[in-house]
């Protein structure tokens, strides 16, 4: 794929620790802008569901809160970006997560903005303990917003993701600080960073994200 520079392309990255609301807000912006959200976590979970070899390799690492190897992730993204629906721009959710991934991305797409979602570490465990996902449609929610255990979209009983268990969340947080946080300086140096404090109600964060992308 050629590097798509200077076109009417809108490639936006959502960066942040687990539980910062990346997925929720990336999805809102994806819908508002009418461009796809590329969540590497969702792609990996899809592979696990289908029982692919990639899924089998990824599952062990994901369950342990570790990152899946860069070359696997980069290959997956490269393939996805070839799809015609990505031509008008995409929202990257949970990618890149390492400097090597960011460097690889630079070679295949130009980035217009990086939304850096911040939240204090102490708040993360609290948020993650209430996070629920729909096993049928993949919708995510939080017990604070849910009236019952049913998925707001399809009614299926929502469950906790295995890697949202407290001990795994701690490991994911450690991995975030060690491997993903350096991307903040990396993108700040390129003048692309727009930081949003996500420690507030979801509507407030949504307004801040929109403002950051204005
Ligand atoms: P997420 O749904 O974004 O929280 O991702 C869940 C898990 O998938 C992570 O904890 C990693 O194990 C794996 N994963 C997702 N995206 C990446 C990535 N860009 N690089 C490496 N591993 C990833």
């Amino acid at each position: 794929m050629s590097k798509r520079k200077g076109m009417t392309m809108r490639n936006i990255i959502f960066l942040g620790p687990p539980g910062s609301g990346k997925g929720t807000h990336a999805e809102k912006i994806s819908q508002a802008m009418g461009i796809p959200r590329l969540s590497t976590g969702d792609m990996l979970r899809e592979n696990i569901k289908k029982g692919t070899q990639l899924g089998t390799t990824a599952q062990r690492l994901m369950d342990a809160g570790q990152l899946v190897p860069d070359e696997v992730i980069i290959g997956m993204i490269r393939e996805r970006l070839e799809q015609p629906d990505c031509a008008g721009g995409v929202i990257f959710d949970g990618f890149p997560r390492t400097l090597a991934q960011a460097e690889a991305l630079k070679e295949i797409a130009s980035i217009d903005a990086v939304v850096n979602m911040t939240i204090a570490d102490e708040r993360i465990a609290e948020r993650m303990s209430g996070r629920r996902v729909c096993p049928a449609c993949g919708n995510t929610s939080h017990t604070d917003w849910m009236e019952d255990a049913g998925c707001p979209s399809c009614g299926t009983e929502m469950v906790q993701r295995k890697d949202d268990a407290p001990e795994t969340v701690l490991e994911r947080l450690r991995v975030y600080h060690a491997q993903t946080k350096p991307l903040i300086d990396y993108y700040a140096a390129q003048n692309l960073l727009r930081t949003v404090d996500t420690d507030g109600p979801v509507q407030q964060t949504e307004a801040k994200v929109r403002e950051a992308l204005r």
Side-chain angles (χ1 to χ4, degrees):
M1 195 178 92
S2 63
K3 191 168 170 178
R4 305 170 304 166
K5 256 204 159 102
M7 293 164 58
T8 54
M9 192 201 47
R10 301 157 295 174
N11 287 332
I12 300 168
I13 293 171
F14 273 72
L15 190 68
S20 58
K22 285 190 307 291
T24 302
H25 293 285
E27 181 58 27
K28 285 182 190 292
I29 294 297
S30 151
Q31 285 180 13
M33 292 177 72
I35 55 176
R37 172 175 72 104
L38 270 50
S39 156
T40 40
D42 282 357
M43 291 178 195
L44 293 168
R45 282 183 287 276
E46 197 56 36
N47 273 278
I48 293 173
K49 217 166 161 182
K50 288 187 183 149
T52 67
Q53 197 179 343
L54 190 157
T56 313
T57 314
Q59 182 158 33
R60 187 178 43 83
L61 293 160
M62 290 168 79
D63 286 353
Q66 316 257 304
L67 294 185
V68 172
D70 288 333
E71 55 279 14
V72 173
I73 300 288
I74 293 162
M76 221 168 57
I77 282 285
R78 197 184 285 276
E79 206 172 288
R80 182 65 184 88
L81 283 173
E82 303 278 350
Q83 305 298 310
D85 64 327
C86 295
V90 299
I91 308 289
F92 292 104
D93 166 14
F95 172 86
R97 258 173 157 104
T98 64
L99 282 169
Q101 291 178 17
E103 286 290 325
L105 179 61
K106 206 165 128 194
E107 298 305 315
I108 50 178
S110 61
I111 300 302
D112 299 303
V114 177
V115 182
N116 174 34
M117 311 281 280
T118 65
I119 179 164
D121 283 2
E122 308 80 77
R123 293 273 290 117
I124 291 176
E126 198 181 310
R127 276 204 183 172
M128 305 292 271
S129 66
R131 181 155 82 168
R132 296 292 179 270
V133 61
C134 174
C137 72
N139 188 23
T140 56
S141 193
H142 192 281
T143 47
D144 285 355
W145 320 328
M146 291 161 62
E147 284 171 17
D148 54 44
C151 169
S153 293
C154 73
T156 306
E157 187 172 342
M158 296 184 92
V159 296
Q160 186 173 44
R161 251 169 59 178
K162 202 171 172 189
D163 61 345
D164 280 352
E167 56 287 4
T168 316
V169 167
L170 281 182
E171 177 59 11
R172 289 167 68 193
L173 198 52
R174 192 195 62 75
V175 167
Y176 166 78
H177 281 288
Q179 302 197 55
T180 308
K181 215 173 165 194
L183 293 180
I184 296 178
D185 286 344
Y186 176 85
Y187 285 119
Q190 296 172 38
N191 243 335
L192 291 172
L193 203 73
R194 307 179 186 191
T195 295
V196 173
D197 171 14
T198 70
D199 191 8
V202 71
Q203 294 87 347
Q204 195 179 314
T205 303
E206 188 179 352
K208 288 187 200 169
V209 170
R210 281 175 185 262
E211 185 57 36
L213 288 172
R214 204 179 292 272

